[in-house]
Amino acid sequence: MTEAIPTTVTVKGRYQAMVDAGEIEADAAQIAVARHLDDLNAALTEARITTKKSALGWLFGKRKTAVAAPKGLYIWGSVGRGKTMLMDLFYQVATEPKKRRSHFHEFMAETHARVFEARKVLSEKNGKNSDPILPVAEAIAEETRLLCFDEFTVTDIADAMLLGRLFTKLFERGVVVVATSNVDPNDLYKDGLNRNHILPFIELLQQKVDVLKLDSRTDFRLEKLSGTKVYLTPLDDHSEQALTDVWRSLTNNVPPHSETLENLGREIPVNKTCAGVAWFTFDELCRQPLGASDFLRIAQAYHTIILQGVPVLEARRRNEAKRFINLIDALYDNRVKLVVSADAEPNELYDAPTGTEVFEFERTASRLIEMRSEEYLADEAGIEN
């Protein structure tokens, strides 16, 4: 089915090129998922070609036939098995022009906002509360035919209430979903409040996607970090090159992309991310008006953070020090892996004689030391990616 698409623009072809270059080891489970992704890409291409032919036939007086959307994919498995890497490759080669990739959390936050606005418009127009889901679903389907979701998980009752009605409409309009998750679809929102509201959606989802468990032999991310120096000091050309080397190893040289995280109505720009890894500079996180909940959102979105250029913080930079403390707390509590370049060892990063941050930073320094240990790097507890 995939022969019509050149090997160089298939997931399996790009995956094999990475194997040949020594960037990754071949894994049978990953190769099997790559084949499924290529089959879906070919099916999307064929459906689009058929739709165009059907439209041309209608122009010349022939009957226009409906083209059924292919089934999407729901890829789940334990952390570090390569789900996000394969999604990166698939999204790069997907021929569907109306494609969108998003963290599921961001997509749902945006959808709730659109539903709120649609409800206001309908109320003003009709003088009554009409169902706002239909115009929102129609707008999404008009914009996007292929929806790719990272971190598909349901933890919020508001999302659970909305999912069934929204995706019923999206699937009716031919939207195809590809998702990665750590959770078997049957366990979505497990033990959640009023879980019965989501059960029809779970049933619908499994009708519209093929469910694949990515059961790779190991956590490749931990293999790559094991034995790697993840706290690099001082700030010089050597540490910056080492940071780049770790990035390339973790992302397998797959080109990065940018994205935006949403949190409580605010946007957090992520300028460089790939394969569940995000690269930030100290200034991007700690010189911006970000709070503890923003750092928690980052910790929930990525399994590894690369943090570039942490300076020695003097008393006059106490606001930046406070943000850095909150950032490390969020990453530590969620067992996120941290690779950092800094101008001094952890115990020497905060240079101030007095203030509450002095005592708080003692905990931060202790955590930074622990976060570079083999025990911490091997700990999967709490990781959601």
Side-chain angles (χ1 to χ4, degrees):
M1 188 176 189
T2 59
E3 285 79 8
I5 300 177
T7 303
T8 53
V9 287
T10 62
V11 178
K12 189 173 182 297
R14 294 198 173 190
Y15 181 94
Q16 187 60 49
M18 293 160 64
V19 172
D20 294 342
E23 296 166 359
I24 59 173
E25 292 182 24
D27 179 82
Q30 291 179 348
I31 292 170
V33 171
R35 290 195 183 102
H36 282 281
L37 289 165
D38 283 333
D39 287 344
L40 174 57
N41 191 25
L44 285 165
T45 303
E46 179 62 27
R48 192 171 67 255
I49 293 171
T50 303
T51 300
K52 288 181 179 179
K53 290 179 178 177
S54 178
L56 287 172
W58 176 79
L59 285 174
F60 292 102
K62 297 180 181 179
R63 183 183 296 274
K64 184 177 180 179
T65 57
V67 180
K71 293 179 72 172
L73 292 172
Y74 183 103
I75 305 163
W76 72 281
S78 300
V79 296
R81 264 57 183 184
K83 300 185 297 293
T84 304
M85 175 190 71
L86 291 167
M87 176 72 91
D88 286 334
L89 295 176
F90 172 71
Y91 193 77
Q92 289 170 17
V93 304
T95 59
E96 171 56 51
K98 290 186 176 182
K99 61 182 178 179
R100 176 183 175 182
R101 180 178 180 177
S102 175
H103 289 281
F104 189 65
H105 178 91
E106 270 63 58
F107 175 80
M108 292 306 297
E110 176 191 310
T111 300
H112 282 294
R114 294 174 78 157
V115 168
F116 178 78
E117 291 300 320
R119 183 176 287 114
K120 285 200 306 182
V121 171
L122 289 171
S123 179
E124 292 169 0
K125 182 183 295 185
N126 301 330
K128 58 182 179 180
N129 291 325
S130 301
D131 184 4
I133 301 296
L134 180 59
V136 171
E138 287 179 341
I140 294 172
E142 180 64 28
E143 300 160 358
T144 311
R145 183 161 184 256
L146 173 63
L147 267 176
C148 297
F149 289 126
D150 291 314
E151 308 168 46
F152 197 103
T153 185
V154 184
T155 58
D156 186 276
I157 181 61
D159 288 351
M161 298 286 286
L162 178 60
L163 281 170
R165 294 159 62 205
L166 173 68
F167 277 87
T168 295
K169 301 299 183 184
L170 292 179
F171 288 136
E172 285 176 355
R173 283 154 181 76
V175 174
V176 176
V177 169
V178 176
T180 64
S181 179
N182 298 333
V183 182
D184 183 318
N186 289 310
D187 291 333
L188 286 169
Y189 199 51
K190 188 176 182 179
D191 302 322
L193 181 65
N194 294 325
R195 187 173 186 260
N196 58 298
H197 289 294
I198 200 177
L199 296 180
F201 164 73
I202 293 174
E203 182 179 354
L204 173 67
L205 178 66
Q206 293 186 87
Q207 293 171 3
K208 296 296 183 178
V209 300
D210 289 322
V211 178
L212 304 176
K213 184 177 181 182
L214 181 51
D215 196 14
S216 299
R217 60 178 176 80
T218 187
D219 184 337
F220 294 95
R221 183 196 67 246
L222 297 182
E223 275 192 353
K224 291 181 178 181
L225 284 177
S226 179
T228 299
K229 190 174 182 180
V230 295
Y231 191 97
L232 304 160
T233 188
L235 296 178
D236 55 19
D237 291 343
H238 176 75
S239 64
E240 297 312 295
Q241 182 59 51
L243 212 63
T244 299
D245 292 342
V246 173
W247 164 267
R248 288 173 176 168
S249 175
L250 287 170
T251 63
N252 306 304
N253 271 333
V254 176
H257 60 276
S258 62
E259 61 190 18
T260 300
L261 300 179
E262 293 187 11
N263 182 53
L264 303 176
R266 296 190 300 275
E267 294 187 345
I268 307 169
V270 184
N271 294 319
K272 186 176 180 181
T273 180
C274 179
V277 184
W279 180 308
F280 295 99
T281 65
F282 175 85
D283 288 353
E284 286 173 337
L285 292 184
C286 299
R287 295 193 69 183
Q288 303 302 317
L290 300 178
S293 69
D294 298 312
F295 297 134
L296 176 59
R297 179 69 197 105
I298 291 170
Q300 293 169 339
Y302 307 103
H303 61 65
T304 304
I305 296 296
I306 291 182
L307 184 62
Q308 177 185 10
V310 180
V312 173
L313 298 164
E314 301 170 350
R316 62 185 177 85
R317 304 180 73 173
R318 61 184 301 270
N319 288 336
E320 295 167 41
K322 182 63 177 178
R323 293 190 190 104
F324 184 68
I325 290 169
N326 289 337
L327 169 65
I328 298 306
D329 283 347
L331 300 182
Y332 179 87
D333 290 341
N334 287 272
R335 317 311 285 174
V336 175
K337 312 312 176 193
L338 175 67
V339 185
V340 58
S341 65
D343 211 17
E345 290 292 333
N347 289 320
E348 301 170 347
L349 273 181
Y350 193 55
D351 183 17
T354 59
T356 58
E357 287 77 20
V358 174
F359 302 102
E360 291 180 340
F361 214 93
E362 290 180 1
R363 183 185 71 239
T364 299
S366 175
R367 289 186 165 184
L368 284 171
I369 292 170
E370 182 182 346
M371 291 170 81
R372 64 188 187 185
S373 70
E374 287 291 329
E375 291 78 10
Y376 182 89
L377 294 176
D379 186 1
E380 295 185 12
I383 300 173
E384 296 297 334
N385 299 306

